[in-house]
Amino acid sequence: MLRTNNLVKIYRTEEVETTALDNVSIEINEGEFVSIMGPSGCGKSTLMNILGMLDNPSGGEYHFLGKEVSKFNERQRAQIRKENIGFVFQSFNLIDELTIYENVELPLLYLKVSPSERKRKVQTVLEIMEIMHRRNHFPQQLSGGQQQRVAVARALVANPKLILADEPTGNLDSSHGDEVMKMLTFLNEGGTTVIMVTHSPTYAEYGNRVIHLFDGKVVTENFQESFRV
C-alpha cells in the first residue's frame, strides 16, 4: 500500500536546524495493523503527517498506492487524502458547533456525496460505533470515550483504505482506551489498513508489527502475533 525510501524531514529556523526524520525506509502492506513507538520527539507524529500527506518530506520518496507522492502539491495531496485516508487524533478534533451527526457527515460533504447517500453512510457508521443515540448532541455533551468513538466514526464514514491513528488513546482512561483499540481492531479485521502511533506497549500489541523510532530513525521492526480480545 505504501512505501518510503530514505525519507528525510528537516525543520529550519534562522538559528537551528532539526532533523525530525533521518532516512526512514518502511513498507506497509494492505490489510496490516502497524504500531509505531518511540520516545517523545523521535519523529512519530512527523512520520504520520507525511504518510497522511498533511506535510511533504525534505528528501526521499513516498509511494502511496503505486504513486510517488512526495512532490505533489497541496491540492493533489488533498484529493488523495479525501479518497483514501481517515484520521483519528489524540485530541478528537471534533467541531464543537456541529452535532455528532454533522461532524461525521463532514468528510462526505467534501467528497460531494449525495444527500441520500450521506444519510445512509452516516447512520450506518453511527450504528456500528454504537453512538446513533447521541447523533443530535454536541461534542461537549459527550464523555471522552464517546467523543473518540465519534472521531473513529468520522474517519470510517468514507470507507477509507487507510486509517492513521495518532495516540488515539492518549486522552482516555484505560477502559475507554481499550474500547477504542477494539474498534480499530474491528476495522482492521474488516480489511482496513491501520497505522497507529502509541506510547503504550500494551496497545502496540494489537498490531501485527511494531516499528520503533529513535532520533528520527527506524531502530527496530518486530513482527508479532497481534493481541486480540
Side-chain angles (χ1 to χ4, degrees):
M1 169 172 272
L2 63 86
R3 173 170 54 91
T4 71
N5 293 328
N6 298 318
L7 210 61
V8 174
K9 183 64 179 181
I10 299 172
Y11 295 102
R12 293 182 175 91
T13 67
E14 291 183 0
E15 299 177 353
V16 179
E17 180 176 288
T18 303
T19 300
L21 296 177
D22 187 0
N23 292 305
V24 171
S25 297
I26 61 172
E27 185 167 352
I28 295 173
N29 298 316
E30 190 170 345
E32 280 197 280
F33 189 142
V34 177
S35 303
I36 299 176
M37 297 192 70
S40 297
C42 73
K44 301 187 302 295
S45 292
T46 299
L47 178 59
M48 290 288 271
N49 285 339
I50 292 174
L51 296 182
M53 283 169 269
L54 299 172
D55 197 3
N56 270 347
S58 306
E61 298 178 347
Y62 175 30
H63 297 260
F64 183 79
L65 296 178
K67 297 179 180 179
E68 210 291 281
V69 300
S70 62
K71 303 299 190 295
F72 279 17
N73 61 37
E74 171 54 28
R75 184 173 181 178
Q76 292 171 309
R77 298 200 310 269
Q79 189 61 37
I80 296 175
R81 281 199 307 270
K82 288 189 294 184
E83 295 175 353
N84 297 286
I85 303 175
F87 295 89
V88 182
F89 300 98
Q90 177 178 347
S91 56
F92 315 139
N93 285 9
L94 301 177
I95 299 174
D96 290 340
E97 294 77 19
L98 299 182
T99 65
I100 299 313
Y101 185 100
E102 290 167 340
N103 266 280
V104 174
E105 182 186 34
L106 201 56
L108 301 179
L109 292 172
Y110 292 140
L111 290 170
K112 297 181 170 57
V113 175
S114 69
S116 60
E117 184 69 2
R118 289 202 308 270
K119 182 178 180 180
R120 184 189 69 79
K121 286 178 175 290
V122 173
Q123 289 182 343
T124 296
V125 76
L126 288 176
E127 287 170 357
I128 290 173
M129 293 295 109
E130 299 180 352
I131 203 75
M132 185 67 172
H133 62 293
R134 294 286 199 173
R135 64 189 180 278
N136 294 322
H137 288 73
F138 292 90
Q140 296 305 314
Q141 296 176 294
L142 273 59
S143 69
Q146 289 172 326
Q147 288 187 58
Q148 193 60 296
R149 195 181 295 186
V150 174
V152 173
R154 183 184 57 192
L156 178 62
V157 72
N159 194 29
K161 294 180 176 67
L162 171 65
I163 293 256
L164 296 177
D166 194 353
E167 292 284 0
T169 62
N171 286 334
L172 304 176
D173 59 32
S174 59
S175 63
H176 286 125
D178 292 345
E179 186 178 295
V180 168
M181 294 309 305
K182 290 176 183 177
M183 285 188 284
L184 292 176
T185 298
F186 170 77
L187 299 181
N188 178 245
E189 290 175 344
T192 304
T193 305
V194 177
I195 304 175
M196 176 185 68
V197 161
T198 181
H199 278 102
S200 167
T202 299
Y203 290 148
E205 291 181 5
Y206 279 78
N208 57 274
R209 181 154 52 114
V210 182
I211 296 172
H212 293 266
L213 293 182
F214 187 79
D215 286 348
K217 298 181 179 181
V218 175
V219 290
T220 59
E221 192 169 348
N222 303 322
F223 289 85
Q224 60 187 21
E225 290 294 327
S226 62
F227 175 67
R228 306 299 198 196
V229 294

